[in-house]
Amino acid sequence: NGNLPVHSVSWQSANAYCEWRSKRDKRTYTLPTRWEREKAAGGGDRRRFSWGDLPLPALANCWNQCLAEERGLKETEAFPYDKSPLGLLGCCGGLAEFTSTPYAGGKGVVILGGRWNARVQDCGIRAAAALAPDAVRDWMGVRICHHP
């Protein structure tokens, strides 16, 4: 489905894409840092979710949002309330996202955000975990940054 977000790629593949696209477009593209991703998802304030502070499962594509047979990745536009103050969709549900920030202790890279197979309580803007750079998961996605 061409309307689904980019998913099931490794951090290494995502970085390789950024390098390729940077050369092609003669512009700089990278994965966001943890700070850039948190600011884009929350608009710079301390809200817990893109829509505010209450964990409301109906507003994002997360595990307790729908019946078991309906779970899985969906089009980002299907959840219009999962929208940051800066206009980014899918910040707290659907896919967790890679960042360029190393995880403390050198155990991979920081991933942020919620995903379709996590409870809404675990899908906040600053919900962080580590993932190995070569790992590929169907609940991991990519959002890239353009640096002028």
Side-chain angles (χ1 to χ4, degrees):
N1 182 338
N3 294 322
L4 292 176
V6 175
H7 62 94
S8 302
V9 297
S10 70
W11 181 87
Q12 293 167 332
S13 294
N15 272 306
Y17 173 78
C18 288
E19 289 176 19
W20 171 84
R21 177 121 184 233
S22 294
K23 287 178 186 170
R24 185 195 77 176
D25 296 354
K26 296 181 179 38
R27 298 175 166 210
T28 302
Y29 293 93
T30 65
L31 294 177
T33 64
R34 180 180 186 157
W35 180 86
E36 288 171 328
R37 200 313 188 151
E38 287 180 7
K39 182 167 181 159
D45 62 21
R46 296 298 298 166
R47 67 182 62 214
R48 186 172 171 203
F49 301 98
S50 53
W51 57 83
D53 289 323
L54 296 176
L56 303 170
L59 301 185
N61 183 13
C62 54
W63 182 81
N64 49 351
Q65 180 272 332
C66 53
L67 301 172
E69 64 272 5
E70 298 172 350
R71 290 186 186 126
L73 186 58
K74 295 180 175 45
E75 294 179 10
T76 307
E77 292 80 10
F79 298 91
Y81 292 104
D82 186 6
K83 182 177 182 179
S84 82
L86 300 177
L88 267 62
L89 288 169
C91 296
C92 293
L95 297 170
E97 297 171 4
F98 285 114
T99 72
S100 61
T101 305
Y103 199 79
K107 298 189 182 215
V109 295
V110 173
I111 60 172
L112 287 175
R115 57 187 193 259
W116 63 264
N117 63 351
R119 300 174 315 144
V120 72
Q121 297 89 325
D122 302 323
C123 290
I125 291 167
R126 285 168 288 287
L131 196 64
D134 61 346
V136 175
R137 304 287 186 273
D138 64 354
W139 46 263
M140 278 304 306
V142 176
R143 194 182 305 250
I144 64 173
C145 294
H146 166 251
H147 300 276

